Amino acid sequence: MERLQKILAAAGVASRRKCEELILNGKVQVNGETVTTLGTKADLAVDIITVDGKAIGTEKKLYIVFNKPKGVITSASDPQGRKIVTDYLKGITERVYPVGRLDYDTEGLLLLTNDGEFAHLLTHPKHHVSKTYHATVKGVPHGSALDKLKQGVMLEDGMTAPAEVEYQDIDPEGKFSTISITIHEGRNRQVRRMFEAISHPVTKLKRISFGDLYLGNLKRGLYRHLTKEEVESLYKQARTTTPPTPKR
């Protein structure tokens, strides 16, 4: 017997948080009875579990790394008709969803899966693995400005955890620079807001790694399946990594 939201997530219905919403909204039935209480337990081997009347089952687990282009929505749909990440997943018939998000103007490494436990583990605040970006910003931040990022900066939603930063490229005329920044959190538009906080707004942002998984030479708009070793490594990192604590 397992909690219903865990069963749904493991079956690839959605992320665990979304599965909880489905239960609370009366979308889930166990043996014909609608369940709206979180924590209700069931057994997929003996119980008939449906979502909106459709029975769930166990799907083959998929783990995908995608090089998201700029101007693509990290979502299953978009009411404005813009490109979404699944538009690029030709040949994938299973329903997969992003692990975390990259905003519309950000490109680079995005993980997608139908393994709810995997997604939950990698995005839970207690288990965030590191994520590295190359940020092209206006001007050239002095060392003291980068030190602020290293120590943590105050944003409207609180102090950030310490980041790892280093110069990657500097325009000879000082009009722009590219900084490598590694963070251990997953706040909305966090990297952009951090650089705005030191008065060097981002003009281009690309995620190049998630934990020890690197984008490498994967071309923009293409995807590949993770190897078994890569999946196991991400699981291990999520279970053993403790994010740095923001300084007060």
Side-chain angles (χ1 to χ4, degrees), residues 7 24 28 48-49 69-70 72 80 96-97 103 105 123 142 152 162 169 171 175 184 188 198 226 234:
I7 294 174
L24 292 172
V28 180
I48 298 174
I49 303 172
K70 178 180 178 180
V72 176
Q80 299 180 38
V96 296
Y97 43 86
D103 65 51
D105 292 323
T123 56
H142 294 296
D169 187 32
D171 172 35
K175 294 181 179 179
H184 304 268
N188 184 44
I198 62 169
L226 269 63
L234 286 170

Side-chain angles (χ1 to χ4, degrees), residues 3-60:
R3 286 175 296 164
L4 192 53
Q5 58 264 41
K6 183 175 182 180
I7 294 174
L8 294 173
V13 172
S15 66
R16 184 175 309 179
R17 181 176 298 176
K18 182 63 177 178
C19 289
E20 291 175 349
E21 293 177 5
L22 291 172
I23 294 170
L24 292 172
N25 292 330
K27 303 288 187 180
V28 180
Q29 299 79 38
V30 178
N31 299 324
E33 297 291 332
T34 298
V35 175
T36 58
T37 303
L38 296 180
T40 299
K41 292 187 176 182
D43 185 345
L44 188 57
V46 297
D47 295 315
I48 298 174
I49 303 172
T50 59
V51 178
D52 282 332
K54 183 178 180 181
I56 70 165
T58 56
E59 286 186 314
K60 176 185 177 182

